[in-house]
Amino acid sequence: MDILILNSLLRGGIPFVIMGSIALLLYFQNDLSNAKSTFLVGLIIFFVAAASVIYDLDHWSIFKRSIIHFLTMLITVYPILLFSGWFDITSISDALIVLLIFLLVGVVLWSVFMILARIFAW
């Protein structure tokens, strides 16, 4: 279990440090909008990469791994999208539209990676 946590932190932490450093440079250049967006992208990358260790749990079914990964993304990435300022959120229906986009992108990415996993026997 400790190895899993360490792998998760490494997978997510390395890109987050890189993106955070770029965000910091942008901040010091007074490019606050791009600094914020870069930081938020780094945060999203952190959660996506860190949660990828779920797929290393071979004793879980692919269905269980997919559901756990989806729920993890729902409670981490979706709120970042809502509060990022990238979408105009003025009502519940706006938040539901963002949820729909989140779901569509997730289904497409999941499908592509499942196909690639079958082709390359990952």
Side-chain angles (χ1 to χ4, degrees), residues 52-89:
S52 71
V53 298
I54 292 168
Y55 291 101
D56 292 343
L57 301 173
D58 294 329
H59 58 281
W60 285 0
S61 70
I62 191 64
F63 178 77
K64 181 176 181 176
R65 289 181 271 178
S66 297
I67 293 299
I68 298 296
H69 189 265
F70 167 73
L71 293 173
T72 304
M73 295 300 96
L74 187 63
I75 63 173
T76 57
V77 173
Y78 179 61
I80 294 169
L81 294 174
L82 289 179
F83 296 112
S84 67
W86 297 332
F87 301 92
D88 186 27
I89 309 289

PDB file of all heavy atoms in Angstrom, residues 52-89:
ATOM      1  N   SER A  52      -4.198   7.475 -11.464  1.00  0.00           N
ATOM      2  CA  SER A  52      -3.951   6.411 -12.446  1.00  0.00           C
ATOM      3  C   SER A  52      -3.449   5.125 -11.784  1.00  0.00           C
ATOM      4  O   SER A  52      -3.560   4.049 -12.381  1.00  0.00           O
ATOM      5  CB  SER A  52      -2.965   6.878 -13.518  1.00  0.00           C
ATOM      6  OG  SER A  52      -1.657   7.004 -12.997  1.00  0.00           O
ATOM      7  N   VAL A  53      -2.931   5.222 -10.567  1.00  0.00           N
ATOM      8  CA  VAL A  53      -2.469   4.003  -9.877  1.00  0.00           C
ATOM      9  C   VAL A  53      -3.626   3.051  -9.594  1.00  0.00           C
ATOM     10  O   VAL A  53      -3.398   1.860  -9.364  1.00  0.00           O
ATOM     11  CB  VAL A  53      -1.704   4.315  -8.558  1.00  0.00           C
ATOM     12  CG1 VAL A  53      -0.465   5.121  -8.827  1.00  0.00           C
ATOM     13  CG2 VAL A  53      -2.601   4.981  -7.541  1.00  0.00           C
ATOM     14  N   ILE A  54      -4.840   3.559  -9.639  1.00  0.00           N
ATOM     15  CA  ILE A  54      -6.015   2.695  -9.446  1.00  0.00           C
ATOM     16  C   ILE A  54      -5.994   1.561 -10.468  1.00  0.00           C
ATOM     17  O   ILE A  54      -6.375   0.434 -10.171  1.00  0.00           O
ATOM     18  CB  ILE A  54      -7.310   3.529  -9.549  1.00  0.00           C
ATOM     19  CG1 ILE A  54      -7.414   4.480  -8.349  1.00  0.00           C
ATOM     20  CG2 ILE A  54      -8.540   2.647  -9.661  1.00  0.00           C
ATOM     21  CD1 ILE A  54      -8.470   5.544  -8.475  1.00  0.00           C
ATOM     22  N   TYR A  55      -5.509   1.861 -11.674  1.00  0.00           N
ATOM     23  CA  TYR A  55      -5.485   0.848 -12.733  1.00  0.00           C
ATOM     24  C   TYR A  55      -4.353  -0.164 -12.545  1.00  0.00           C
ATOM     25  O   TYR A  55      -4.276  -1.138 -13.294  1.00  0.00           O
ATOM     26  CB  TYR A  55      -5.435   1.511 -14.111  1.00  0.00           C
ATOM     27  CG  TYR A  55      -6.744   2.200 -14.414  1.00  0.00           C
ATOM     28  CD1 TYR A  55      -6.880   3.574 -14.262  1.00  0.00           C
ATOM     29  CD2 TYR A  55      -7.848   1.464 -14.810  1.00  0.00           C
ATOM     30  CE1 TYR A  55      -8.094   4.195 -14.508  1.00  0.00           C
ATOM     31  CE2 TYR A  55      -9.065   2.068 -15.066  1.00  0.00           C
ATOM     32  CZ  TYR A  55      -9.178   3.438 -14.910  1.00  0.00           C
ATOM     33  OH  TYR A  55     -10.379   4.047 -15.152  1.00  0.00           O
ATOM     34  N   ASP A  56      -3.503   0.042 -11.551  1.00  0.00           N
ATOM     35  CA  ASP A  56      -2.466  -0.938 -11.225  1.00  0.00           C
ATOM     36  C   ASP A  56      -2.977  -2.028 -10.273  1.00  0.00           C
ATOM     37  O   ASP A  56      -2.274  -2.981  -9.999  1.00  0.00           O
ATOM     38  CB  ASP A  56      -1.254  -0.249 -10.577  1.00  0.00           C
ATOM     39  CG  ASP A  56      -0.511   0.657 -11.543  1.00  0.00           C
ATOM     40  OD1 ASP A  56      -0.717   0.524 -12.767  1.00  0.00           O
ATOM     41  OD2 ASP A  56       0.267   1.504 -11.062  1.00  0.00           O
ATOM     42  N   LEU A  57      -4.172  -1.851  -9.771  1.00  0.00           N
ATOM     43  CA  LEU A  57      -4.749  -2.811  -8.823  1.00  0.00           C
ATOM     44  C   LEU A  57      -5.404  -3.953  -9.603  1.00  0.00           C
ATOM     45  O   LEU A  57      -6.610  -3.986  -9.818  1.00  0.00           O
ATOM     46  CB  LEU A  57      -5.772  -2.112  -7.914  1.00  0.00           C
ATOM     47  CG  LEU A  57      -5.214  -0.953  -7.080  1.00  0.00           C
ATOM     48  CD1 LEU A  57      -6.320  -0.216  -6.355  1.00  0.00           C
ATOM     49  CD2 LEU A  57      -4.159  -1.453  -6.107  1.00  0.00           C
ATOM     50  N   ASP A  58      -4.586  -4.895 -10.005  1.00  0.00           N
ATOM     51  CA  ASP A  58      -5.046  -5.990 -10.856  1.00  0.00           C
ATOM     52  C   ASP A  58      -6.057  -6.915 -10.177  1.00  0.00           C
ATOM     53  O   ASP A  58      -6.792  -7.628 -10.855  1.00  0.00           O
ATOM     54  CB  ASP A  58      -3.861  -6.813 -11.352  1.00  0.00           C
ATOM     55  CG  ASP A  58      -2.963  -6.017 -12.287  1.00  0.00           C
ATOM     56  OD1 ASP A  58      -3.488  -5.137 -13.002  1.00  0.00           O
ATOM     57  OD2 ASP A  58      -1.744  -6.270 -12.292  1.00  0.00           O
ATOM     58  N   HIS A  59      -6.108  -6.901  -8.866  1.00  0.00           N
ATOM     59  CA  HIS A  59      -7.061  -7.761  -8.162  1.00  0.00           C
ATOM     60  C   HIS A  59      -8.477  -7.160  -8.179  1.00  0.00           C
ATOM     61  O   HIS A  59      -9.412  -7.807  -7.739  1.00  0.00           O
ATOM     62  CB  HIS A  59      -6.589  -8.050  -6.731  1.00  0.00           C
ATOM     63  CG  HIS A  59      -6.380  -6.830  -5.893  1.00  0.00           C
ATOM     64  ND1 HIS A  59      -5.247  -6.058  -5.995  1.00  0.00           N
ATOM     65  CD2 HIS A  59      -7.151  -6.250  -4.952  1.00  0.00           C
ATOM     66  CE1 HIS A  59      -5.328  -5.049  -5.142  1.00  0.00           C
ATOM     67  NE2 HIS A  59      -6.481  -5.143  -4.502  1.00  0.00           N
ATOM     68  N   TRP A  60      -8.618  -5.927  -8.669  1.00  0.00           N
ATOM     69  CA  TRP A  60      -9.941  -5.322  -8.861  1.00  0.00           C
ATOM     70  C   TRP A  60     -10.349  -5.521 -10.314  1.00  0.00           C
ATOM     71  O   TRP A  60      -9.505  -5.510 -11.212  1.00  0.00           O
ATOM     72  CB  TRP A  60      -9.910  -3.827  -8.575  1.00  0.00           C
ATOM     73  CG  TRP A  60      -9.844  -3.438  -7.133  1.00  0.00           C
ATOM     74  CD1 TRP A  60      -9.808  -4.259  -6.051  1.00  0.00           C
ATOM     75  CD2 TRP A  60      -9.811  -2.105  -6.630  1.00  0.00           C
ATOM     76  NE1 TRP A  60      -9.744  -3.521  -4.902  1.00  0.00           N
ATOM     77  CE2 TRP A  60      -9.749  -2.184  -5.223  1.00  0.00           C
ATOM     78  CE3 TRP A  60      -9.823  -0.856  -7.216  1.00  0.00           C
ATOM     79  CZ2 TRP A  60      -9.709  -1.065  -4.405  1.00  0.00           C
ATOM     80  CZ3 TRP A  60      -9.783   0.267  -6.405  1.00  0.00           C
ATOM     81  CH2 TRP A  60      -9.730   0.155  -5.018  1.00  0.00           C
ATOM     82  N   SER A  61     -11.643  -5.643 -10.542  1.00  0.00           N
ATOM     83  CA  SER A  61     -12.134  -5.743 -11.922  1.00  0.00           C
ATOM     84  C   SER A  61     -11.958  -4.394 -12.612  1.00  0.00           C
ATOM     85  O   SER A  61     -11.863  -3.350 -11.953  1.00  0.00           O
ATOM     86  CB  SER A  61     -13.618  -6.128 -11.935  1.00  0.00           C
ATOM     87  OG  SER A  61     -14.409  -5.046 -11.455  1.00  0.00           O
ATOM     88  N   ILE A  62     -11.926  -4.406 -13.939  1.00  0.00           N
ATOM     89  CA  ILE A  62     -11.795  -3.164 -14.689  1.00  0.00           C
ATOM     90  C   ILE A  62     -13.009  -2.267 -14.423  1.00  0.00           C
ATOM     91  O   ILE A  62     -12.882  -1.041 -14.399  1.00  0.00           O
ATOM     92  CB  ILE A  62     -11.583  -3.421 -16.203  1.00  0.00           C
ATOM     93  CG1 ILE A  62     -11.171  -2.124 -16.926  1.00  0.00           C
ATOM     94  CG2 ILE A  62     -12.815  -3.995 -16.841  1.00  0.00           C
ATOM     95  CD1 ILE A  62      -9.859  -1.558 -16.493  1.00  0.00           C
ATOM     96  N   PHE A  63     -14.161  -2.858 -14.191  1.00  0.00           N
ATOM     97  CA  PHE A  63     -15.361  -2.080 -13.868  1.00  0.00           C
ATOM     98  C   PHE A  63     -15.167  -1.325 -12.556  1.00  0.00           C
ATOM     99  O   PHE A  63     -15.420  -0.117 -12.480  1.00  0.00           O
ATOM    100  CB  PHE A  63     -16.584  -3.004 -13.784  1.00  0.00           C
ATOM    101  CG  PHE A  63     -17.845  -2.281 -13.402  1.00  0.00           C
ATOM    102  CD1 PHE A  63     -18.519  -1.506 -14.340  1.00  0.00           C
ATOM    103  CD2 PHE A  63     -18.336  -2.364 -12.108  1.00  0.00           C
ATOM    104  CE1 PHE A  63     -19.682  -0.826 -13.982  1.00  0.00           C
ATOM    105  CE2 PHE A  63     -19.489  -1.683 -11.740  1.00  0.00           C
ATOM    106  CZ  PHE A  63     -20.166  -0.912 -12.679  1.00  0.00           C
ATOM    107  N   LYS A  64     -14.682  -2.024 -11.524  1.00  0.00           N
ATOM    108  CA  LYS A  64     -14.474  -1.397 -10.223  1.00  0.00           C
ATOM    109  C   LYS A  64     -13.412  -0.298 -10.320  1.00  0.00           C
ATOM    110  O   LYS A  64     -13.586   0.794  -9.776  1.00  0.00           O
ATOM    111  CB  LYS A  64     -14.060  -2.446  -9.182  1.00  0.00           C
ATOM    112  CG  LYS A  64     -13.861  -1.872  -7.797  1.00  0.00           C
ATOM    113  CD  LYS A  64     -13.548  -2.961  -6.780  1.00  0.00           C
ATOM    114  CE  LYS A  64     -13.380  -2.382  -5.394  1.00  0.00           C
ATOM    115  NZ  LYS A  64     -13.161  -3.425  -4.391  1.00  0.00           N
ATOM    116  N   ARG A  65     -12.308  -0.590 -11.010  1.00  0.00           N
ATOM    117  CA  ARG A  65     -11.258   0.413 -11.165  1.00  0.00           C
ATOM    118  C   ARG A  65     -11.788   1.644 -11.894  1.00  0.00           C
ATOM    119  O   ARG A  65     -11.480   2.779 -11.512  1.00  0.00           O
ATOM    120  CB  ARG A  65     -10.060  -0.172 -11.922  1.00  0.00           C
ATOM    121  CG  ARG A  65      -9.271  -1.174 -11.095  1.00  0.00           C
ATOM    122  CD  ARG A  65      -8.091  -1.702 -11.851  1.00  0.00           C
ATOM    123  NE  ARG A  65      -8.519  -2.873 -12.608  1.00  0.00           N
ATOM    124  CZ  ARG A  65      -7.749  -3.565 -13.410  1.00  0.00           C
ATOM    125  NH1 ARG A  65      -6.501  -3.196 -13.624  1.00  0.00           N
ATOM    126  NH2 ARG A  65      -8.192  -4.623 -14.040  1.00  0.00           N
ATOM    127  N   SER A  66     -12.584   1.429 -12.931  1.00  0.00           N
ATOM    128  CA  SER A  66     -13.133   2.540 -13.700  1.00  0.00           C
ATOM    129  C   SER A  66     -14.089   3.377 -12.864  1.00  0.00           C
ATOM    130  O   SER A  66     -14.059   4.614 -12.928  1.00  0.00           O
ATOM    131  CB  SER A  66     -13.848   2.017 -14.952  1.00  0.00           C
ATOM    132  OG  SER A  66     -12.945   1.360 -15.798  1.00  0.00           O
ATOM    133  N   ILE A  67     -14.930   2.732 -12.084  1.00  0.00           N
ATOM    134  CA  ILE A  67     -15.887   3.459 -11.233  1.00  0.00           C
ATOM    135  C   ILE A  67     -15.150   4.255 -10.161  1.00  0.00           C
ATOM    136  O   ILE A  67     -15.462   5.433  -9.930  1.00  0.00           O
ATOM    137  CB  ILE A  67     -16.907   2.487 -10.593  1.00  0.00           C
ATOM    138  CG1 ILE A  67     -17.810   1.886 -11.678  1.00  0.00           C
ATOM    139  CG2 ILE A  67     -17.733   3.180  -9.518  1.00  0.00           C
ATOM    140  CD1 ILE A  67     -18.643   2.887 -12.447  1.00  0.00           C
ATOM    141  N   ILE A  68     -14.173   3.644  -9.507  1.00  0.00           N
ATOM    142  CA  ILE A  68     -13.402   4.349  -8.468  1.00  0.00           C
ATOM    143  C   ILE A  68     -12.657   5.533  -9.073  1.00  0.00           C
ATOM    144  O   ILE A  68     -12.630   6.628  -8.516  1.00  0.00           O
ATOM    145  CB  ILE A  68     -12.419   3.381  -7.758  1.00  0.00           C
ATOM    146  CG1 ILE A  68     -13.173   2.268  -7.049  1.00  0.00           C
ATOM    147  CG2 ILE A  68     -11.505   4.132  -6.795  1.00  0.00           C
ATOM    148  CD1 ILE A  68     -14.068   2.709  -5.910  1.00  0.00           C
ATOM    149  N   HIS A  69     -12.067   5.331 -10.263  1.00  0.00           N
ATOM    150  CA  HIS A  69     -11.356   6.423 -10.924  1.00  0.00           C
ATOM    151  C   HIS A  69     -12.329   7.542 -11.297  1.00  0.00           C
ATOM    152  O   HIS A  69     -12.040   8.723 -11.088  1.00  0.00           O
ATOM    153  CB  HIS A  69     -10.623   5.908 -12.166  1.00  0.00           C
ATOM    154  CG  HIS A  69      -9.718   6.922 -12.762  1.00  0.00           C
ATOM    155  ND1 HIS A  69     -10.102   7.738 -13.793  1.00  0.00           N
ATOM    156  CD2 HIS A  69      -8.446   7.280 -12.459  1.00  0.00           C
ATOM    157  CE1 HIS A  69      -9.112   8.543 -14.099  1.00  0.00           C
ATOM    158  NE2 HIS A  69      -8.094   8.285 -13.300  1.00  0.00           N
ATOM    159  N   PHE A  70     -13.485   7.175 -11.830  1.00  0.00           N
ATOM    160  CA  PHE A  70     -14.493   8.176 -12.189  1.00  0.00           C
ATOM    161  C   PHE A  70     -14.920   8.985 -10.965  1.00  0.00           C
ATOM    162  O   PHE A  70     -14.987  10.219 -11.015  1.00  0.00           O
ATOM    163  CB  PHE A  70     -15.711   7.511 -12.830  1.00  0.00           C
ATOM    164  CG  PHE A  70     -16.891   8.431 -12.920  1.00  0.00           C
ATOM    165  CD1 PHE A  70     -16.908   9.469 -13.848  1.00  0.00           C
ATOM    166  CD2 PHE A  70     -17.970   8.289 -12.057  1.00  0.00           C
ATOM    167  CE1 PHE A  70     -17.987  10.340 -13.915  1.00  0.00           C
ATOM    168  CE2 PHE A  70     -19.046   9.151 -12.121  1.00  0.00           C
ATOM    169  CZ  PHE A  70     -19.052  10.178 -13.056  1.00  0.00           C
ATOM    170  N   LEU A  71     -15.212   8.300  -9.869  1.00  0.00           N
ATOM    171  CA  LEU A  71     -15.635   9.008  -8.650  1.00  0.00           C
ATOM    172  C   LEU A  71     -14.529   9.919  -8.122  1.00  0.00           C
ATOM    173  O   LEU A  71     -14.796  11.037  -7.658  1.00  0.00           O
ATOM    174  CB  LEU A  71     -16.076   8.007  -7.579  1.00  0.00           C
ATOM    175  CG  LEU A  71     -17.351   7.232  -7.907  1.00  0.00           C
ATOM    176  CD1 LEU A  71     -17.602   6.155  -6.858  1.00  0.00           C
ATOM    177  CD2 LEU A  71     -18.547   8.164  -8.032  1.00  0.00           C
ATOM    178  N   THR A  72     -13.296   9.455  -8.216  1.00  0.00           N
ATOM    179  CA  THR A  72     -12.158  10.285  -7.798  1.00  0.00           C
ATOM    180  C   THR A  72     -12.066  11.544  -8.650  1.00  0.00           C
ATOM    181  O   THR A  72     -11.869  12.649  -8.138  1.00  0.00           O
ATOM    182  CB  THR A  72     -10.844   9.472  -7.889  1.00  0.00           C
ATOM    183  OG1 THR A  72     -10.976   8.295  -7.096  1.00  0.00           O
ATOM    184  CG2 THR A  72      -9.661  10.287  -7.420  1.00  0.00           C
ATOM    185  N   MET A  73     -12.234  11.389  -9.958  1.00  0.00           N
ATOM    186  CA  MET A  73     -12.193  12.549 -10.859  1.00  0.00           C
ATOM    187  C   MET A  73     -13.378  13.478 -10.597  1.00  0.00           C
ATOM    188  O   MET A  73     -13.243  14.707 -10.636  1.00  0.00           O
ATOM    189  CB  MET A  73     -12.212  12.117 -12.330  1.00  0.00           C
ATOM    190  CG  MET A  73     -10.995  11.324 -12.771  1.00  0.00           C
ATOM    191  SD  MET A  73      -9.436  12.210 -12.587  1.00  0.00           S
ATOM    192  CE  MET A  73      -8.870  11.617 -11.001  1.00  0.00           C
ATOM    193  N   LEU A  74     -14.530  12.894 -10.276  1.00  0.00           N
ATOM    194  CA  LEU A  74     -15.731  13.685 -10.022  1.00  0.00           C
ATOM    195  C   LEU A  74     -15.565  14.573  -8.787  1.00  0.00           C
ATOM    196  O   LEU A  74     -15.990  15.732  -8.794  1.00  0.00           O
ATOM    197  CB  LEU A  74     -16.944  12.762  -9.860  1.00  0.00           C
ATOM    198  CG  LEU A  74     -18.300  13.433  -9.761  1.00  0.00           C
ATOM    199  CD1 LEU A  74     -18.628  14.185 -11.049  1.00  0.00           C
ATOM    200  CD2 LEU A  74     -19.380  12.395  -9.471  1.00  0.00           C
ATOM    201  N   ILE A  75     -14.903  14.055  -7.757  1.00  0.00           N
ATOM    202  CA  ILE A  75     -14.764  14.860  -6.531  1.00  0.00           C
ATOM    203  C   ILE A  75     -13.517  15.740  -6.527  1.00  0.00           C
ATOM    204  O   ILE A  75     -13.377  16.589  -5.652  1.00  0.00           O
ATOM    205  CB  ILE A  75     -14.814  13.991  -5.253  1.00  0.00           C
ATOM    206  CG1 ILE A  75     -13.655  13.017  -5.203  1.00  0.00           C
ATOM    207  CG2 ILE A  75     -16.139  13.296  -5.124  1.00  0.00           C
ATOM    208  CD1 ILE A  75     -13.537  12.254  -3.908  1.00  0.00           C
ATOM    209  N   THR A  76     -12.632  15.563  -7.510  1.00  0.00           N
ATOM    210  CA  THR A  76     -11.434  16.402  -7.554  1.00  0.00           C
ATOM    211  C   THR A  76     -11.431  17.336  -8.763  1.00  0.00           C
ATOM    212  O   THR A  76     -11.347  18.552  -8.613  1.00  0.00           O
ATOM    213  CB  THR A  76     -10.147  15.539  -7.567  1.00  0.00           C
ATOM    214  OG1 THR A  76     -10.178  14.640  -8.672  1.00  0.00           O
ATOM    215  CG2 THR A  76      -9.983  14.768  -6.271  1.00  0.00           C
ATOM    216  N   VAL A  77     -11.551  16.790  -9.954  1.00  0.00           N
ATOM    217  CA  VAL A  77     -11.420  17.587 -11.176  1.00  0.00           C
ATOM    218  C   VAL A  77     -12.667  18.426 -11.447  1.00  0.00           C
ATOM    219  O   VAL A  77     -12.563  19.605 -11.798  1.00  0.00           O
ATOM    220  CB  VAL A  77     -11.090  16.688 -12.389  1.00  0.00           C
ATOM    221  CG1 VAL A  77     -11.110  17.473 -13.685  1.00  0.00           C
ATOM    222  CG2 VAL A  77      -9.735  16.018 -12.181  1.00  0.00           C
ATOM    223  N   TYR A  78     -13.839  17.848 -11.278  1.00  0.00           N
ATOM    224  CA  TYR A  78     -15.079  18.586 -11.579  1.00  0.00           C
ATOM    225  C   TYR A  78     -15.191  19.884 -10.768  1.00  0.00           C
ATOM    226  O   TYR A  78     -15.479  20.940 -11.349  1.00  0.00           O
ATOM    227  CB  TYR A  78     -16.292  17.673 -11.385  1.00  0.00           C
ATOM    228  CG  TYR A  78     -17.615  18.357 -11.647  1.00  0.00           C
ATOM    229  CD1 TYR A  78     -17.906  18.888 -12.900  1.00  0.00           C
ATOM    230  CD2 TYR A  78     -18.580  18.476 -10.652  1.00  0.00           C
ATOM    231  CE1 TYR A  78     -19.116  19.518 -13.142  1.00  0.00           C
ATOM    232  CE2 TYR A  78     -19.782  19.097 -10.884  1.00  0.00           C
ATOM    233  CZ  TYR A  78     -20.046  19.613 -12.135  1.00  0.00           C
ATOM    234  OH  TYR A  78     -21.241  20.242 -12.370  1.00  0.00           O
ATOM    235  N   PRO A  79     -14.937  19.873  -9.457  1.00  0.00           N
ATOM    236  CA  PRO A  79     -14.989  21.156  -8.728  1.00  0.00           C
ATOM    237  C   PRO A  79     -13.952  22.176  -9.223  1.00  0.00           C
ATOM    238  O   PRO A  79     -14.232  23.383  -9.250  1.00  0.00           O
ATOM    239  CB  PRO A  79     -14.709  20.759  -7.270  1.00  0.00           C
ATOM    240  CG  PRO A  79     -15.086  19.334  -7.189  1.00  0.00           C
ATOM    241  CD  PRO A  79     -14.768  18.744  -8.534  1.00  0.00           C
ATOM    242  N   ILE A  80     -12.779  21.691  -9.614  1.00  0.00           N
ATOM    243  CA  ILE A  80     -11.777  22.618 -10.161  1.00  0.00           C
ATOM    244  C   ILE A  80     -12.327  23.283 -11.419  1.00  0.00           C
ATOM    245  O   ILE A  80     -12.179  24.494 -11.604  1.00  0.00           O
ATOM    246  CB  ILE A  80     -10.448  21.886 -10.459  1.00  0.00           C
ATOM    247  CG1 ILE A  80      -9.798  21.405  -9.164  1.00  0.00           C
ATOM    248  CG2 ILE A  80      -9.488  22.799 -11.233  1.00  0.00           C
ATOM    249  CD1 ILE A  80      -8.620  20.458  -9.362  1.00  0.00           C
ATOM    250  N   LEU A  81     -12.981  22.496 -12.270  1.00  0.00           N
ATOM    251  CA  LEU A  81     -13.576  23.058 -13.479  1.00  0.00           C
ATOM    252  C   LEU A  81     -14.643  24.102 -13.142  1.00  0.00           C
ATOM    253  O   LEU A  81     -14.718  25.151 -13.785  1.00  0.00           O
ATOM    254  CB  LEU A  81     -14.185  21.946 -14.344  1.00  0.00           C
ATOM    255  CG  LEU A  81     -13.208  20.939 -14.939  1.00  0.00           C
ATOM    256  CD1 LEU A  81     -13.968  19.812 -15.643  1.00  0.00           C
ATOM    257  CD2 LEU A  81     -12.241  21.622 -15.890  1.00  0.00           C
ATOM    258  N   LEU A  82     -15.437  23.805 -12.133  1.00  0.00           N
ATOM    259  CA  LEU A  82     -16.508  24.734 -11.761  1.00  0.00           C
ATOM    260  C   LEU A  82     -15.968  26.066 -11.237  1.00  0.00           C
ATOM    261  O   LEU A  82     -16.523  27.126 -11.529  1.00  0.00           O
ATOM    262  CB  LEU A  82     -17.418  24.107 -10.699  1.00  0.00           C
ATOM    263  CG  LEU A  82     -18.310  22.971 -11.157  1.00  0.00           C
ATOM    264  CD1 LEU A  82     -19.129  22.442  -9.982  1.00  0.00           C
ATOM    265  CD2 LEU A  82     -19.236  23.408 -12.288  1.00  0.00           C
ATOM    266  N   PHE A  83     -14.907  26.012 -10.460  1.00  0.00           N
ATOM    267  CA  PHE A  83     -14.385  27.225  -9.817  1.00  0.00           C
ATOM    268  C   PHE A  83     -13.215  27.861 -10.570  1.00  0.00           C
ATOM    269  O   PHE A  83     -12.675  28.868 -10.118  1.00  0.00           O
ATOM    270  CB  PHE A  83     -13.978  26.915  -8.375  1.00  0.00           C
ATOM    271  CG  PHE A  83     -15.148  26.507  -7.522  1.00  0.00           C
ATOM    272  CD1 PHE A  83     -15.256  25.212  -7.041  1.00  0.00           C
ATOM    273  CD2 PHE A  83     -16.155  27.413  -7.225  1.00  0.00           C
ATOM    274  CE1 PHE A  83     -16.338  24.828  -6.277  1.00  0.00           C
ATOM    275  CE2 PHE A  83     -17.247  27.040  -6.451  1.00  0.00           C
ATOM    276  CZ  PHE A  83     -17.346  25.740  -5.979  1.00  0.00           C
ATOM    277  N   SER A  84     -12.857  27.304 -11.719  1.00  0.00           N
ATOM    278  CA  SER A  84     -11.698  27.799 -12.467  1.00  0.00           C
ATOM    279  C   SER A  84     -11.936  29.145 -13.143  1.00  0.00           C
ATOM    280  O   SER A  84     -10.995  29.878 -13.411  1.00  0.00           O
ATOM    281  CB  SER A  84     -11.301  26.777 -13.534  1.00  0.00           C
ATOM    282  OG  SER A  84     -12.326  26.692 -14.525  1.00  0.00           O
ATOM    283  N   GLY A  85     -13.172  29.427 -13.461  1.00  0.00           N
ATOM    284  CA  GLY A  85     -13.467  30.629 -14.235  1.00  0.00           C
ATOM    285  C   GLY A  85     -13.436  30.372 -15.731  1.00  0.00           C
ATOM    286  O   GLY A  85     -13.650  31.283 -16.532  1.00  0.00           O
ATOM    287  N   TRP A  86     -13.163  29.133 -16.133  1.00  0.00           N
ATOM    288  CA  TRP A  86     -13.112  28.786 -17.554  1.00  0.00           C
ATOM    289  C   TRP A  86     -14.512  28.683 -18.153  1.00  0.00           C
ATOM    290  O   TRP A  86     -14.677  28.734 -19.362  1.00  0.00           O
ATOM    291  CB  TRP A  86     -12.372  27.474 -17.774  1.00  0.00           C
ATOM    292  CG  TRP A  86     -10.935  27.511 -17.355  1.00  0.00           C
ATOM    293  CD1 TRP A  86     -10.113  28.598 -17.318  1.00  0.00           C
ATOM    294  CD2 TRP A  86     -10.150  26.403 -16.913  1.00  0.00           C
ATOM    295  NE1 TRP A  86      -8.859  28.231 -16.877  1.00  0.00           N
ATOM    296  CE2 TRP A  86      -8.855  26.884 -16.624  1.00  0.00           C
ATOM    297  CE3 TRP A  86     -10.408  25.048 -16.735  1.00  0.00           C
ATOM    298  CZ2 TRP A  86      -7.827  26.067 -16.178  1.00  0.00           C
ATOM    299  CZ3 TRP A  86      -9.388  24.243 -16.285  1.00  0.00           C
ATOM    300  CH2 TRP A  86      -8.107  24.749 -16.013  1.00  0.00           C
ATOM    301  N   PHE A  87     -15.508  28.470 -17.303  1.00  0.00           N
ATOM    302  CA  PHE A  87     -16.897  28.347 -17.732  1.00  0.00           C
ATOM    303  C   PHE A  87     -17.721  29.411 -17.022  1.00  0.00           C
ATOM    304  O   PHE A  87     -17.468  29.734 -15.860  1.00  0.00           O
ATOM    305  CB  PHE A  87     -17.460  26.955 -17.381  1.00  0.00           C
ATOM    306  CG  PHE A  87     -16.717  25.821 -18.006  1.00  0.00           C
ATOM    307  CD1 PHE A  87     -15.673  25.197 -17.330  1.00  0.00           C
ATOM    308  CD2 PHE A  87     -17.052  25.373 -19.267  1.00  0.00           C
ATOM    309  CE1 PHE A  87     -14.986  24.139 -17.907  1.00  0.00           C
ATOM    310  CE2 PHE A  87     -16.362  24.315 -19.850  1.00  0.00           C
ATOM    311  CZ  PHE A  87     -15.332  23.702 -19.172  1.00  0.00           C
ATOM    312  N   ASP A  88     -18.714  29.929 -17.729  1.00  0.00           N
ATOM    313  CA  ASP A  88     -19.619  30.900 -17.136  1.00  0.00           C
ATOM    314  C   ASP A  88     -20.674  30.130 -16.335  1.00  0.00           C
ATOM    315  O   ASP A  88     -21.583  29.532 -16.916  1.00  0.00           O
ATOM    316  CB  ASP A  88     -20.263  31.741 -18.239  1.00  0.00           C
ATOM    317  CG  ASP A  88     -21.109  32.871 -17.684  1.00  0.00           C
ATOM    318  OD1 ASP A  88     -20.816  33.336 -16.560  1.00  0.00           O
ATOM    319  OD2 ASP A  88     -22.057  33.286 -18.373  1.00  0.00           O
ATOM    320  N   ILE A  89     -20.522  30.122 -15.021  1.00  0.00           N
ATOM    321  CA  ILE A  89     -21.432  29.380 -14.151  1.00  0.00           C
ATOM    322  C   ILE A  89     -22.309  30.393 -13.404  1.00  0.00           C
ATOM    323  O   ILE A  89     -21.859  31.044 -12.461  1.00  0.00           O
ATOM    324  CB  ILE A  89     -20.671  28.515 -13.118  1.00  0.00           C
ATOM    325  CG1 ILE A  89     -19.621  27.651 -13.779  1.00  0.00           C
ATOM    326  CG2 ILE A  89     -21.642  27.691 -12.278  1.00  0.00           C
ATOM    327  CD1 ILE A  89     -20.123  26.520 -14.598  1.00  0.00           C
TER     328      ILE A  89
END
